[in-house]
Amino acid sequence: MDGLDTLKAKYLTAVANAADESALEEVRVAALGKKGEISAMMATLGKMEPDARKAAGAMLNVLKDEIDAALRARKSGLADAALDERLRTEWLDVTLPGRPRPRGTIHPVSQVMEELTAIFADMGFAVAEGPQVESDWYNFDALNIPPEHPARQEHDTFFMHRAPGDDRPPHVLRTHTSPVQIRAMTEQGAPIRVIAPGRVYRMDMDQTHTPMFHQVEGLAIDRDISMANLKWVLEEFCRAYFEVPSVELRFRASHFPFTEPSAEVDIRCSWEGGQLKIGQGDKWMEILGSGMVHPKVLQAAGVDPAQWQGFAFGMGIDRIAMLKYGIPDLRAFFESDLRWLRHYGFAALDMPDLPGGLSR
Ligand code: DAH
């Protein structure tokens, strides 16, 4: 075995000169890899006489260990240097002041939707959704509003176009969230407790009407649900939503095709000095429509009215947002005026919840 010293000097120099981990790996492969120089010499041992083999084998092993040790030492040296370099360049001044509050705000409609979702979730209501482009069956027929019913005209419906020659009834932009009752019952059956907040559309525009606005639908179906349950749920909701100790509601007989009996609900309030106060005073303000779900509506959604009954209600979200947060003009909700949004918007990271307080 000649030339081992030369070999040793060659590889130790190469190790010392390797500039990074990949250069170091090349040195390792050239020396100790399967086809490396040292490995090739090991392979010749088999052909030697036993004594010579023993001596040469021992020397080769020593050389191998030396190169291996040098490789390891250099590798950890390179890693330390790399870490030092990172620590030097990725330095962070933790004494810098925090970033100011984000400039975007949560729109009052989104805020109120979060608030009502939190309140109704606490009473066991899940959130259901449906499409905004709806078939006339879901928007009207299934809710006991047949084609000739006057309620269809009252809804000022937006109709979608059909292709020429296609004379099926056109789809509509849903005029209320009530069709979600049908979808939710068809999908989940009874018993069921859901609310459905969302966008609705009617051809109307003045200080208190916009062609798109928001409603929340409520639906509770079980074996023995009555108007008394409806009244309690609505009172609980109004108390929590308006963040007052007590409220008083008044049920006025009314008519909706999809409920029987039907009631419009007023809340006691005062407007003294132009300031709305909920829960006191001698004025009444209408806030929603409601009633016991009509048997035909249950039937349309595949729920047997002989076994199941319950209540439904529908409420304008924009309107209750205006009342709670003192916003005078509905149209401004949808004008995307930054000054308005900064004034009436809510901090982006405050999620309303019941224990933490809804509006803070
Ligand atoms: N869908 C009705 C509307 O848009 C509101 C409504 C009234 C919904 C009574 C209901 C209800 O679920 O029971 O005017």
Side-chain angles (χ1 to χ4, degrees), residues 155 175-178 181 202 215 217-218 256 258-259 263 289-291 312-315:
H155 275 212
T175 57
H176 49 179
T177 43
S178 303
Q181 289 185 31
R202 291 187 203 178
Q215 284 188 338
E217 195 76 11
F256 301 103
F258 29 89
T259 44
S290 65
F313 60 86
M315 185 163 49

mmCIF file with all atom_site columns, all heavy atoms in Angstrom, residues 155 175-178 181 202 215 217-218 256 258-259 263 289-291 312-315, ligand 1:
data_model
loop_
_atom_site.group_PDB
_atom_site.id
_atom_site.type_symbol
_atom_site.label_atom_id
_atom_site.label_alt_id
_atom_site.label_comp_id
_atom_site.label_asym_id
_atom_site.label_entity_id
_atom_site.label_seq_id
_atom_site.pdbx_PDB_ins_code
_atom_site.Cartn_x
_atom_site.Cartn_y
_atom_site.Cartn_z
_atom_site.occupancy
_atom_site.B_iso_or_equiv
_atom_site.pdbx_formal_charge
_atom_site.auth_seq_id
_atom_site.auth_comp_id
_atom_site.auth_asym_id
_atom_site.auth_atom_id
_atom_site.pdbx_PDB_model_num
ATOM   1   N N   . HIS A 1 155 ? -94.282  41.979 -4.581 1.00 0.00 ? 155 HIS A N   1
ATOM   2   C CA  . HIS A 1 155 ? -92.849  41.793 -4.334 1.00 0.00 ? 155 HIS A CA  1
ATOM   3   C C   . HIS A 1 155 ? -91.922  42.553 -5.287 1.00 0.00 ? 155 HIS A C   1
ATOM   4   O O   . HIS A 1 155 ? -90.713  42.498 -5.124 1.00 0.00 ? 155 HIS A O   1
ATOM   5   C CB  . HIS A 1 155 ? -92.495  40.294 -4.352 1.00 0.00 ? 155 HIS A CB  1
ATOM   6   C CG  . HIS A 1 155 ? -92.726  39.658 -3.016 1.00 0.00 ? 155 HIS A CG  1
ATOM   7   N ND1 . HIS A 1 155 ? -91.961  38.613 -2.554 1.00 0.00 ? 155 HIS A ND1 1
ATOM   8   C CD2 . HIS A 1 155 ? -93.627  39.931 -2.049 1.00 0.00 ? 155 HIS A CD2 1
ATOM   9   C CE1 . HIS A 1 155 ? -92.389  38.270 -1.342 1.00 0.00 ? 155 HIS A CE1 1
ATOM   10  N NE2 . HIS A 1 155 ? -93.404  39.040 -1.024 1.00 0.00 ? 155 HIS A NE2 1
ATOM   11  N N   . THR A 1 175 ? -86.781  37.475 -3.627 1.00 0.00 ? 175 THR A N   1
ATOM   12  C CA  . THR A 1 175 ? -87.358  38.704 -3.089 1.00 0.00 ? 175 THR A CA  1
ATOM   13  C C   . THR A 1 175 ? -87.386  38.682 -1.567 1.00 0.00 ? 175 THR A C   1
ATOM   14  O O   . THR A 1 175 ? -87.738  39.680 -0.940 1.00 0.00 ? 175 THR A O   1
ATOM   15  C CB  . THR A 1 175 ? -88.791  38.890 -3.609 1.00 0.00 ? 175 THR A CB  1
ATOM   16  O OG1 . THR A 1 175 ? -89.555  37.727 -3.246 1.00 0.00 ? 175 THR A OG1 1
ATOM   17  C CG2 . THR A 1 175 ? -88.812  39.051 -5.118 1.00 0.00 ? 175 THR A CG2 1
ATOM   18  N N   . HIS A 1 176 ? -87.077  37.525 -0.996 1.00 0.00 ? 176 HIS A N   1
ATOM   19  C CA  . HIS A 1 176 ? -86.995  37.392 0.471  1.00 0.00 ? 176 HIS A CA  1
ATOM   20  C C   . HIS A 1 176 ? -86.142  36.176 0.796  1.00 0.00 ? 176 HIS A C   1
ATOM   21  O O   . HIS A 1 176 ? -85.770  35.418 -0.107 1.00 0.00 ? 176 HIS A O   1
ATOM   22  C CB  . HIS A 1 176 ? -88.397  37.288 1.104  1.00 0.00 ? 176 HIS A CB  1
ATOM   23  C CG  . HIS A 1 176 ? -89.324  36.283 0.463  1.00 0.00 ? 176 HIS A CG  1
ATOM   24  N ND1 . HIS A 1 176 ? -90.598  36.047 0.904  1.00 0.00 ? 176 HIS A ND1 1
ATOM   25  C CD2 . HIS A 1 176 ? -89.153  35.431 -0.591 1.00 0.00 ? 176 HIS A CD2 1
ATOM   26  C CE1 . HIS A 1 176 ? -91.177  35.117 0.159  1.00 0.00 ? 176 HIS A CE1 1
ATOM   27  N NE2 . HIS A 1 176 ? -90.321  34.732 -0.749 1.00 0.00 ? 176 HIS A NE2 1
ATOM   28  N N   . THR A 1 177 ? -85.803  36.000 2.082  1.00 0.00 ? 177 THR A N   1
ATOM   29  C CA  . THR A 1 177 ? -85.002  34.830 2.452  1.00 0.00 ? 177 THR A CA  1
ATOM   30  C C   . THR A 1 177 ? -85.881  33.612 2.736  1.00 0.00 ? 177 THR A C   1
ATOM   31  O O   . THR A 1 177 ? -85.361  32.532 3.010  1.00 0.00 ? 177 THR A O   1
ATOM   32  C CB  . THR A 1 177 ? -84.127  35.145 3.697  1.00 0.00 ? 177 THR A CB  1
ATOM   33  O OG1 . THR A 1 177 ? -84.910  35.870 4.639  1.00 0.00 ? 177 THR A OG1 1
ATOM   34  C CG2 . THR A 1 177 ? -82.905  35.965 3.307  1.00 0.00 ? 177 THR A CG2 1
ATOM   35  N N   . SER A 1 178 ? -87.207  33.770 2.628  1.00 0.00 ? 178 SER A N   1
ATOM   36  C CA  . SER A 1 178 ? -88.097  32.651 2.941  1.00 0.00 ? 178 SER A CA  1
ATOM   37  C C   . SER A 1 178 ? -87.835  31.376 2.123  1.00 0.00 ? 178 SER A C   1
ATOM   38  O O   . SER A 1 178 ? -88.018  30.274 2.659  1.00 0.00 ? 178 SER A O   1
ATOM   39  C CB  . SER A 1 178 ? -89.560  33.087 2.811  1.00 0.00 ? 178 SER A CB  1
ATOM   40  O OG  . SER A 1 178 ? -89.816  34.192 3.661  1.00 0.00 ? 178 SER A OG  1
ATOM   41  N N   . GLN A 1 181 ? -86.109  28.568 3.828  1.00 0.00 ? 181 GLN A N   1
ATOM   42  C CA  . GLN A 1 181 ? -86.885  27.632 4.674  1.00 0.00 ? 181 GLN A CA  1
ATOM   43  C C   . GLN A 1 181 ? -87.098  26.318 3.937  1.00 0.00 ? 181 GLN A C   1
ATOM   44  O O   . GLN A 1 181 ? -86.901  25.236 4.486  1.00 0.00 ? 181 GLN A O   1
ATOM   45  C CB  . GLN A 1 181 ? -88.286  28.192 4.961  1.00 0.00 ? 181 GLN A CB  1
ATOM   46  C CG  . GLN A 1 181 ? -88.365  29.376 5.889  1.00 0.00 ? 181 GLN A CG  1
ATOM   47  C CD  . GLN A 1 181 ? -89.839  29.741 6.167  1.00 0.00 ? 181 GLN A CD  1
ATOM   48  O OE1 . GLN A 1 181 ? -90.719  28.886 6.170  1.00 0.00 ? 181 GLN A OE1 1
ATOM   49  N NE2 . GLN A 1 181 ? -90.083  31.007 6.418  1.00 0.00 ? 181 GLN A NE2 1
ATOM   50  N N   . ARG A 1 202 ? -85.456  43.722 -4.525 1.00 0.00 ? 202 ARG A N   1
ATOM   51  C CA  . ARG A 1 202 ? -86.761  44.197 -5.003 1.00 0.00 ? 202 ARG A CA  1
ATOM   52  C C   . ARG A 1 202 ? -86.573  45.516 -5.731 1.00 0.00 ? 202 ARG A C   1
ATOM   53  O O   . ARG A 1 202 ? -85.713  46.315 -5.360 1.00 0.00 ? 202 ARG A O   1
ATOM   54  C CB  . ARG A 1 202 ? -87.734  44.390 -3.832 1.00 0.00 ? 202 ARG A CB  1
ATOM   55  C CG  . ARG A 1 202 ? -88.152  43.081 -3.206 1.00 0.00 ? 202 ARG A CG  1
ATOM   56  C CD  . ARG A 1 202 ? -89.221  43.269 -2.173 1.00 0.00 ? 202 ARG A CD  1
ATOM   57  N NE  . ARG A 1 202 ? -89.196  42.135 -1.250 1.00 0.00 ? 202 ARG A NE  1
ATOM   58  C CZ  . ARG A 1 202 ? -89.973  42.004 -0.199 1.00 0.00 ? 202 ARG A CZ  1
ATOM   59  N NH1 . ARG A 1 202 ? -90.849  42.948 0.087  1.00 0.00 ? 202 ARG A NH1 1
ATOM   60  N NH2 . ARG A 1 202 ? -89.898  40.952 0.580  1.00 0.00 ? 202 ARG A NH2 1
ATOM   61  N N   . GLN A 1 215 ? -82.051  40.397 4.590  1.00 0.00 ? 215 GLN A N   1
ATOM   62  C CA  . GLN A 1 215 ? -83.040  39.888 5.541  1.00 0.00 ? 215 GLN A CA  1
ATOM   63  C C   . GLN A 1 215 ? -82.419  38.742 6.325  1.00 0.00 ? 215 GLN A C   1
ATOM   64  O O   . GLN A 1 215 ? -81.431  38.152 5.902  1.00 0.00 ? 215 GLN A O   1
ATOM   65  C CB  . GLN A 1 215 ? -84.261  39.313 4.795  1.00 0.00 ? 215 GLN A CB  1
ATOM   66  C CG  . GLN A 1 215 ? -85.200  40.351 4.231  1.00 0.00 ? 215 GLN A CG  1
ATOM   67  C CD  . GLN A 1 215 ? -86.472  39.720 3.682  1.00 0.00 ? 215 GLN A CD  1
ATOM   68  O OE1 . GLN A 1 215 ? -86.485  38.523 3.358  1.00 0.00 ? 215 GLN A OE1 1
ATOM   69  N NE2 . GLN A 1 215 ? -87.523  40.505 3.575  1.00 0.00 ? 215 GLN A NE2 1
ATOM   70  N N   . GLU A 1 217 ? -84.010  35.183 7.946  1.00 0.00 ? 217 GLU A N   1
ATOM   71  C CA  . GLU A 1 217 ? -85.168  34.323 8.103  1.00 0.00 ? 217 GLU A CA  1
ATOM   72  C C   . GLU A 1 217 ? -84.918  33.456 9.330  1.00 0.00 ? 217 GLU A C   1
ATOM   73  O O   . GLU A 1 217 ? -83.769  33.103 9.602  1.00 0.00 ? 217 GLU A O   1
ATOM   74  C CB  . GLU A 1 217 ? -85.244  33.411 6.858  1.00 0.00 ? 217 GLU A CB  1
ATOM   75  C CG  . GLU A 1 217 ? -86.554  32.722 6.686  1.00 0.00 ? 217 GLU A CG  1
ATOM   76  C CD  . GLU A 1 217 ? -87.600  33.690 6.153  1.00 0.00 ? 217 GLU A CD  1
ATOM   77  O OE1 . GLU A 1 217 ? -87.253  34.804 5.732  1.00 0.00 ? 217 GLU A OE1 1
ATOM   78  O OE2 . GLU A 1 217 ? -88.784  33.309 6.167  1.00 0.00 ? 217 GLU A OE2 1
ATOM   79  N N   . GLY A 1 218 ? -85.970  33.133 10.074 1.00 0.00 ? 218 GLY A N   1
ATOM   80  C CA  . GLY A 1 218 ? -85.825  32.177 11.170 1.00 0.00 ? 218 GLY A CA  1
ATOM   81  C C   . GLY A 1 218 ? -86.815  31.058 10.984 1.00 0.00 ? 218 GLY A C   1
ATOM   82  O O   . GLY A 1 218 ? -87.917  31.285 10.459 1.00 0.00 ? 218 GLY A O   1
ATOM   83  N N   . PHE A 1 256 ? -99.586  36.530 5.932  1.00 0.00 ? 256 PHE A N   1
ATOM   84  C CA  . PHE A 1 256 ? -98.580  36.097 4.965  1.00 0.00 ? 256 PHE A CA  1
ATOM   85  C C   . PHE A 1 256 ? -99.051  34.766 4.426  1.00 0.00 ? 256 PHE A C   1
ATOM   86  O O   . PHE A 1 256 ? -99.602  33.956 5.176  1.00 0.00 ? 256 PHE A O   1
ATOM   87  C CB  . PHE A 1 256 ? -97.201  35.930 5.623  1.00 0.00 ? 256 PHE A CB  1
ATOM   88  C CG  . PHE A 1 256 ? -96.685  37.177 6.270  1.00 0.00 ? 256 PHE A CG  1
ATOM   89  C CD1 . PHE A 1 256 ? -96.726  37.329 7.654  1.00 0.00 ? 256 PHE A CD1 1
ATOM   90  C CD2 . PHE A 1 256 ? -96.157  38.211 5.505  1.00 0.00 ? 256 PHE A CD2 1
ATOM   91  C CE1 . PHE A 1 256 ? -96.257  38.486 8.260  1.00 0.00 ? 256 PHE A CE1 1
ATOM   92  C CE2 . PHE A 1 256 ? -95.686  39.371 6.108  1.00 0.00 ? 256 PHE A CE2 1
ATOM   93  C CZ  . PHE A 1 256 ? -95.736  39.504 7.482  1.00 0.00 ? 256 PHE A CZ  1
ATOM   94  N N   . PHE A 1 258 ? -97.444  32.210 3.683  1.00 0.00 ? 258 PHE A N   1
ATOM   95  C CA  . PHE A 1 258 ? -96.675  31.040 4.151  1.00 0.00 ? 258 PHE A CA  1
ATOM   96  C C   . PHE A 1 258 ? -96.811  30.782 5.641  1.00 0.00 ? 258 PHE A C   1
ATOM   97  O O   . PHE A 1 258 ? -96.166  29.881 6.177  1.00 0.00 ? 258 PHE A O   1
ATOM   98  C CB  . PHE A 1 258 ? -95.189  31.187 3.769  1.00 0.00 ? 258 PHE A CB  1
ATOM   99  C CG  . PHE A 1 258 ? -94.720  32.616 3.682  1.00 0.00 ? 258 PHE A CG  1
ATOM   100 C CD1 . PHE A 1 258 ? -94.211  33.265 4.792  1.00 0.00 ? 258 PHE A CD1 1
ATOM   101 C CD2 . PHE A 1 258 ? -94.817  33.313 2.478  1.00 0.00 ? 258 PHE A CD2 1
ATOM   102 C CE1 . PHE A 1 258 ? -93.787  34.580 4.701  1.00 0.00 ? 258 PHE A CE1 1
ATOM   103 C CE2 . PHE A 1 258 ? -94.412  34.637 2.390  1.00 0.00 ? 258 PHE A CE2 1
ATOM   104 C CZ  . PHE A 1 258 ? -93.893  35.283 3.499  1.00 0.00 ? 258 PHE A CZ  1
ATOM   105 N N   . THR A 1 259 ? -97.625  31.570 6.346  1.00 0.00 ? 259 THR A N   1
ATOM   106 C CA  . THR A 1 259 ? -97.847  31.301 7.769  1.00 0.00 ? 259 THR A CA  1
ATOM   107 C C   . THR A 1 259 ? -99.333  31.389 8.086  1.00 0.00 ? 259 THR A C   1
ATOM   108 O O   . THR A 1 259 ? -100.080 32.128 7.457  1.00 0.00 ? 259 THR A O   1
ATOM   109 C CB  . THR A 1 259 ? -97.109  32.323 8.664  1.00 0.00 ? 259 THR A CB  1
ATOM   110 O OG1 . THR A 1 259 ? -97.293  33.630 8.120  1.00 0.00 ? 259 THR A OG1 1
ATOM   111 C CG2 . THR A 1 259 ? -95.634  32.014 8.765  1.00 0.00 ? 259 THR A CG2 1
ATOM   112 N N   . ALA A 1 263 ? -98.386  37.064 12.164 1.00 0.00 ? 263 ALA A N   1
ATOM   113 C CA  . ALA A 1 263 ? -98.341  38.245 13.030 1.00 0.00 ? 263 ALA A CA  1
ATOM   114 C C   . ALA A 1 263 ? -97.198  39.156 12.616 1.00 0.00 ? 263 ALA A C   1
ATOM   115 O O   . ALA A 1 263 ? -96.116  38.684 12.261 1.00 0.00 ? 263 ALA A O   1
ATOM   116 C CB  . ALA A 1 263 ? -98.157  37.829 14.486 1.00 0.00 ? 263 ALA A CB  1
ATOM   117 N N   . GLY A 1 289 ? -91.950  40.254 10.464 1.00 0.00 ? 289 GLY A N   1
ATOM   118 C CA  . GLY A 1 289 ? -93.149  39.465 10.182 1.00 0.00 ? 289 GLY A CA  1
ATOM   119 C C   . GLY A 1 289 ? -92.897  38.037 10.624 1.00 0.00 ? 289 GLY A C   1
ATOM   120 O O   . GLY A 1 289 ? -91.763  37.559 10.580 1.00 0.00 ? 289 GLY A O   1
ATOM   121 N N   . SER A 1 290 ? -93.983  37.354 11.048 1.00 0.00 ? 290 SER A N   1
ATOM   122 C CA  . SER A 1 290 ? -93.774  36.011 11.587 1.00 0.00 ? 290 SER A CA  1
ATOM   123 C C   . SER A 1 290 ? -95.071  35.230 11.564 1.00 0.00 ? 290 SER A C   1
ATOM   124 O O   . SER A 1 290 ? -96.114  35.744 11.172 1.00 0.00 ? 290 SER A O   1
ATOM   125 C CB  . SER A 1 290 ? -93.277  36.117 13.027 1.00 0.00 ? 290 SER A CB  1
ATOM   126 O OG  . SER A 1 290 ? -94.293  36.705 13.819 1.00 0.00 ? 290 SER A OG  1
ATOM   127 N N   . GLY A 1 291 ? -95.013  34.004 12.027 1.00 0.00 ? 291 GLY A N   1
ATOM   128 C CA  . GLY A 1 291 ? -96.222  33.207 12.144 1.00 0.00 ? 291 GLY A CA  1
ATOM   129 C C   . GLY A 1 291 ? -95.901  31.734 12.286 1.00 0.00 ? 291 GLY A C   1
ATOM   130 O O   . GLY A 1 291 ? -94.741  31.347 12.371 1.00 0.00 ? 291 GLY A O   1
ATOM   131 N N   . ALA A 1 312 ? -91.944  30.616 11.925 1.00 0.00 ? 312 ALA A N   1
ATOM   132 C CA  . ALA A 1 312 ? -90.953  31.242 11.053 1.00 0.00 ? 312 ALA A CA  1
ATOM   133 C C   . ALA A 1 312 ? -91.068  32.745 11.253 1.00 0.00 ? 312 ALA A C   1
ATOM   134 O O   . ALA A 1 312 ? -92.094  33.255 11.707 1.00 0.00 ? 312 ALA A O   1
ATOM   135 C CB  . ALA A 1 312 ? -91.213  30.885 9.597  1.00 0.00 ? 312 ALA A CB  1
ATOM   136 N N   . PHE A 1 313 ? -89.981  33.431 10.939 1.00 0.00 ? 313 PHE A N   1
ATOM   137 C CA  . PHE A 1 313 ? -90.055  34.887 10.943 1.00 0.00 ? 313 PHE A CA  1
ATOM   138 C C   . PHE A 1 313 ? -89.072  35.437 9.924  1.00 0.00 ? 313 PHE A C   1
ATOM   139 O O   . PHE A 1 313 ? -88.155  34.746 9.488  1.00 0.00 ? 313 PHE A O   1
ATOM   140 C CB  . PHE A 1 313 ? -89.763  35.474 12.337 1.00 0.00 ? 313 PHE A CB  1
ATOM   141 C CG  . PHE A 1 313 ? -88.404  35.131 12.865 1.00 0.00 ? 313 PHE A CG  1
ATOM   142 C CD1 . PHE A 1 313 ? -87.296  35.902 12.533 1.00 0.00 ? 313 PHE A CD1 1
ATOM   143 C CD2 . PHE A 1 313 ? -88.223  34.025 13.687 1.00 0.00 ? 313 PHE A CD2 1
ATOM   144 C CE1 . PHE A 1 313 ? -86.037  35.584 13.025 1.00 0.00 ? 313 PHE A CE1 1
ATOM   145 C CE2 . PHE A 1 313 ? -86.960  33.704 14.172 1.00 0.00 ? 313 PHE A CE2 1
ATOM   146 C CZ  . PHE A 1 313 ? -85.869  34.481 13.840 1.00 0.00 ? 313 PHE A CZ  1
ATOM   147 N N   . GLY A 1 314 ? -89.319  36.697 9.512  1.00 0.00 ? 314 GLY A N   1
ATOM   148 C CA  . GLY A 1 314 ? -88.415  37.359 8.581  1.00 0.00 ? 314 GLY A CA  1
ATOM   149 C C   . GLY A 1 314 ? -88.227  38.798 9.016  1.00 0.00 ? 314 GLY A C   1
ATOM   150 O O   . GLY A 1 314 ? -89.187  39.480 9.384  1.00 0.00 ? 314 GLY A O   1
ATOM   151 N N   . MET A 1 315 ? -86.967  39.241 9.003  1.00 0.00 ? 315 MET A N   1
ATOM   152 C CA  . MET A 1 315 ? -86.654  40.557 9.569  1.00 0.00 ? 315 MET A CA  1
ATOM   153 C C   . MET A 1 315 ? -85.648  41.248 8.651  1.00 0.00 ? 315 MET A C   1
ATOM   154 O O   . MET A 1 315 ? -84.782  40.592 8.072  1.00 0.00 ? 315 MET A O   1
ATOM   155 C CB  . MET A 1 315 ? -86.038  40.297 10.943 1.00 0.00 ? 315 MET A CB  1
ATOM   156 C CG  . MET A 1 315 ? -85.747  41.500 11.774 1.00 0.00 ? 315 MET A CG  1
ATOM   157 S SD  . MET A 1 315 ? -85.499  41.003 13.511 1.00 0.00 ? 315 MET A SD  1
ATOM   158 C CE  . MET A 1 315 ? -84.357  39.665 13.392 1.00 0.00 ? 315 MET A CE  1
HETATM 159 N N1  . DAH B 2 .   ? -90.854  36.938 3.670  1.00 0.00 ? 1   DAH B N1  1
HETATM 160 C C1  . DAH B 2 .   ? -91.514  38.045 4.277  1.00 0.00 ? 1   DAH B C1  1
HETATM 161 C C2  . DAH B 2 .   ? -91.117  39.330 3.530  1.00 0.00 ? 1   DAH B C2  1
HETATM 162 O O1  . DAH B 2 .   ? -90.137  39.355 2.888  1.00 0.00 ? 1   DAH B O1  1
HETATM 163 C C3  . DAH B 2 .   ? -91.144  38.206 5.723  1.00 0.00 ? 1   DAH B C3  1
HETATM 164 C C4  . DAH B 2 .   ? -91.671  37.098 6.546  1.00 0.00 ? 1   DAH B C4  1
HETATM 165 C C5  . DAH B 2 .   ? -92.914  37.225 7.145  1.00 0.00 ? 1   DAH B C5  1
HETATM 166 C C6  . DAH B 2 .   ? -90.972  35.914 6.709  1.00 0.00 ? 1   DAH B C6  1
HETATM 167 C C7  . DAH B 2 .   ? -93.436  36.201 7.912  1.00 0.00 ? 1   DAH B C7  1
HETATM 168 C C8  . DAH B 2 .   ? -91.491  34.886 7.459  1.00 0.00 ? 1   DAH B C8  1
HETATM 169 C C9  . DAH B 2 .   ? -92.748  35.059 8.070  1.00 0.00 ? 1   DAH B C9  1
HETATM 170 O O2  . DAH B 2 .   ? -90.836  33.734 7.661  1.00 0.00 ? 1   DAH B O2  1
HETATM 171 O O3  . DAH B 2 .   ? -93.223  34.038 8.832  1.00 0.00 ? 1   DAH B O3  1
HETATM 172 O O4  . DAH B 2 .   ? -91.794  40.305 3.617  1.00 0.00 ? 1   DAH B O4  1
#
